[in-house]
Amino acid sequence: MTPDSIRQAYRDAGQDQVFAFFDDLTPASREKLLRQAAAIDLTEIDHLVKTLVRGGNASPIDVTAIEPAHYIPLPRSGGDPARWAAAKAAGEEALRAGRVAAFTVAGGQGTRLGFDGPKGTFPVTPITGKTLFQVFAEKILAASRRHARPIPWFIMTSDINHEATVSFFEAHRFFGIEPGLIQFFSQGLMPAVDFDGKILLAAPDEIALSPDGHGGSLRALVRNGCTGKMASMGIDIVSYFQVDNPLVHCIDPAFIGFHLLADSELTSKTCLKAYAAEKVGVFVERDGRAEVLEYSDLPADLAEATDADGRLRFRAGSIAIHIFSRGLVERMGAALDPALRLPFHLAKKKVPTVDAAGQPIEPSEPNGIKFEMFVFDALPFAKEPVIVETAREDEFSPVKNAGGNDSPATCRADQLRQWTRWCAAAGQTIAADPTGLPEFSFEVSPLFADSPEAFQARGAQAVVHEGVCLEG
Ligand code: UTP
């Protein structure tokens, strides 16, 4: 596209304000603005403005038609141990056959944590301060050694943290993973608009852009050639997890096996809600199709409703851990028809912008709208979706906030509690408070052991004391 044709397209779309300061810009600034402008799909923005911004944020959700979603319970909650064993065996076979890739979404802005750098570079373990990326790397390495097969790792970044993420891995020699097995790629960006649907400028030569949500991962995997690469490597199973949860089993044979045995396109993990008002989305069924309902859309009476045995009816919380079949990613990530791809959601935000004279404005109230896709919205599009229970204490302790809930402190404590349980199962009792928090700190590398069974198998080596880190 030429500069003139780009500007004409913006005029035709009623978005000419993007070029309000163009004539006063230096050649380099003009080129930058034109490059950003050319990358925006104006037809998509126009559709979103008409349907979401002016259309009043879609129709209200009809909650009268929802039912709790079915899920496969853990053996400890009544699940069939033989079924779990069969799933584990099927997953292990797929891993030995090299059909599985790990996939981390790490393109978020991490505003709540307020850490200066990509969130994956945040130190998270209690003794050695290993970063989130290192913990995942060690878990992936441990799984690949166990199954005698390399496990490729796809990492989605965004423009705000791509270079810092790649440099971090280079500086740490990819944590021992063969560099060719790790593929970094940036997700898409979306412009913010004002309440009239006009694209906002962050500066006279810069459009206000932000990542298009974790749901942007599906089309980013396709557009960056990752699904093609997976196909050429014989990979058809994508193990998806977020960058903020060091407890996640990055590669979980039983989870993979349930996906395969059901011939599912999307299998998701659930943790049972701790209490009715807990702010997690829940798995529900509507018209026979599974979906995740955001906590804000679940009316209080339904959130509090209990079944005959006194448990919450809508208890299957969503914790952002999924297995995608490559086919679903390809189909949804490449779809052009908005009805066949992930929907966008809008969020009213404070978007730094410029006034009519090009001077910066730091709004104190929301002044704009950002568009994001959520990956769990793929569920109703998937054939044979499956939901599998996992134990919260074993798999979910995200680092979201600088303090309080879901913070570095709560996450360190949850890691310590988990290793303390492993010690107890292996016959080493450590004094702990009533919540299971041990009296002293220590650490267990995933390369030493990544499960209670692996810990126990280390025999006499699996002994901890204050300040120790058991390495692989
Ligand atoms: P969060 O919803 O916690 O958002 O992302 P965030 O941007 O990391 O943090 P806040 O809300 O600004 O504090 C959940 C996961 O989805 C990824 C994040 O990196 C994290 O792993 N994500 C989120 C993306 O990869 N891209 C996005 O556009 C948004």
Side-chain angles (χ1 to χ4, degrees):
M1 281 172 99
T2 64
D4 282 347
S5 67
I6 296 169
R7 291 195 61 179
Q8 187 59 45
Y10 273 71
R11 265 195 294 279
D12 294 346
Q15 297 284 8
D16 202 28
Q17 77 289 346
V18 165
F19 294 99
F21 307 100
F22 194 76
D23 294 340
D24 301 327
L25 297 178
T26 62
S29 286
R30 286 183 182 186
E31 202 191 313
K32 170 179 154 190
L33 184 63
L34 284 165
R35 207 171 340 105
Q36 286 188 332
I40 292 172
D41 180 346
L42 287 173
T43 314
E44 182 169 72
I45 302 301
D46 187 52
H47 175 74
L48 293 175
V49 168
K50 284 190 181 128
T51 53
L52 290 182
V53 181
R54 298 208 191 108
N57 198 8
S59 45
I61 290 170
D62 174 13
V63 289
T64 55
I66 62 166
E67 291 289 326
H70 293 283
Y71 64 87
I72 298 171
L74 280 166
R76 75 173 190 195
S77 341
D80 175 3
R83 202 174 165 202
W84 277 83
K88 183 163 181 253
E92 286 169 343
E93 192 183 326
L95 282 158
R96 283 194 298 270
R99 293 174 58 190
V100 182
F103 176 34
T104 308
V105 287
Q109 291 170 301
T111 342
R112 283 170 287 172
L113 183 60
F115 171 64
D116 188 18
K119 204 189 244 190
T121 67
F122 185 79
V124 77
T125 64
I127 299 294
T128 61
K130 284 181 191 169
T131 60
L132 285 154
F133 279 138
Q134 181 166 359
V135 173
F136 303 140
E138 293 188 3
K139 289 188 175 195
I140 293 167
L141 265 180
S144 73
R145 286 178 190 165
R146 180 170 304 120
H147 300 97
R149 233 9 227 249
I151 298 174
W153 186 11
F154 291 81
I155 300 178
M156 185 176 82
T157 61
S158 62
D159 268 21
I160 49 174
N161 62 22
H162 184 82
E163 273 164 34
T165 301
V166 176
S167 310
F168 183 77
F169 273 81
E170 283 167 356
H172 291 86
R173 297 169 184 271
F174 301 88
F175 303 106
I177 296 181
E178 157 68 38
L181 287 172
I182 306 186
Q183 165 118 17
F184 303 92
F185 63 100
S186 273
Q187 69 179 107
L189 297 170
M190 289 294 282
V193 300
D194 68 14
F195 298 139
D196 293 322
K198 300 286 182 197
I199 293 173
L200 287 166
L201 288 175
D205 64 347
E206 190 183 332
I207 296 172
L209 294 168
S210 51
D212 58 3
H214 41 65
S217 57
L218 302 189
R219 66 187 193 185
L221 280 167
V222 173
R223 288 177 182 176
N224 289 283
C226 300
T227 41
K229 187 168 176 183
M230 289 175 187
S232 68
M233 297 170 99
I235 286 164
D236 60 347
I237 299 161
V238 183
S239 184
Y240 170 108
F241 53 93
Q242 300 191 156
V243 78
D244 53 20
N245 175 22
L247 257 53
V248 65
H249 305 319
C250 305
I251 300 293
D252 181 343
F255 187 37
I256 294 166
F258 279 122
H259 177 83
L260 290 170
L261 294 176
D263 205 9
S264 169
E265 284 191 321
L266 179 53
T267 298
S268 301
K269 275 195 183 166
T270 178
C271 271
L272 303 191
K273 278 176 69 170
Y275 51 95
E278 195 184 3
K279 291 184 174 177
V280 291
V282 284
F283 290 101
V284 301
E285 265 171 36
R286 189 208 311 263
D287 302 328
R289 298 197 78 82
E291 66 179 58
V292 172
L293 196 64
E294 288 187 77
Y295 68 86
S296 48
D297 289 327
L298 186 66
D301 56 331
L302 289 185
E304 282 158 21
T306 50
D307 58 18
D309 55 10
R311 295 192 300 172
L312 292 174
R313 265 191 87 216
F314 292 93
R315 59 179 172 271
S318 168
I319 52 167
I321 304 172
H322 310 281
I323 300 287
F324 280 88
S325 70
R326 193 189 77 234
L328 180 66
V329 178
E330 286 167 345
R331 193 171 76 236
M332 294 195 71
L336 296 177
D337 180 349
L340 300 178
R341 56 190 196 196
L342 290 179
F344 275 96
H345 298 254
L346 62 74
K348 293 186 176 160
K349 298 269 171 146
K350 294 179 221 167
V351 182
T353 183
V354 289
D355 64 16
Q359 294 305 307
I361 305 178
E362 277 295 336
S364 53
E365 294 297 321
N367 62 325
I369 287 170
K370 289 187 178 180
F371 300 109
E372 280 197 341
M373 289 177 276
F374 301 154
V375 82
F376 53 72
D377 279 336
L379 211 52
F381 295 86
K383 292 180 197 136
E384 308 299 337
V386 175
I387 299 159
V388 182
E389 187 191 355
T390 188
R392 176 189 300 258
E393 66 275 18
D394 282 334
E395 189 145 18
F396 188 57
S397 186
V399 177
K400 296 274 188 201
N401 308 307
N405 288 341
D406 295 341
S407 65
T410 57
C411 182
R412 275 193 301 273
D414 285 339
Q415 293 172 68
L416 283 166
R417 289 188 184 98
Q418 184 179 51
W419 297 322
T420 302
R421 289 192 300 277
W422 293 2
C423 286
Q428 187 189 1
T429 305
I430 298 170
D433 74 7
T435 72
L437 189 64
E439 280 180 352
F440 58 81
S441 276
F442 59 98
E443 191 172 319
V444 180
S445 158
L447 291 171
F448 180 86
D450 59 356
S451 67
E453 298 77 29
F455 190 78
Q456 193 157 10
R458 300 301 293 245
Q461 294 174 311
V463 173
V464 304
H465 55 80
E466 182 160 8
V468 74
C469 175
L470 299 180
E471 293 285 1

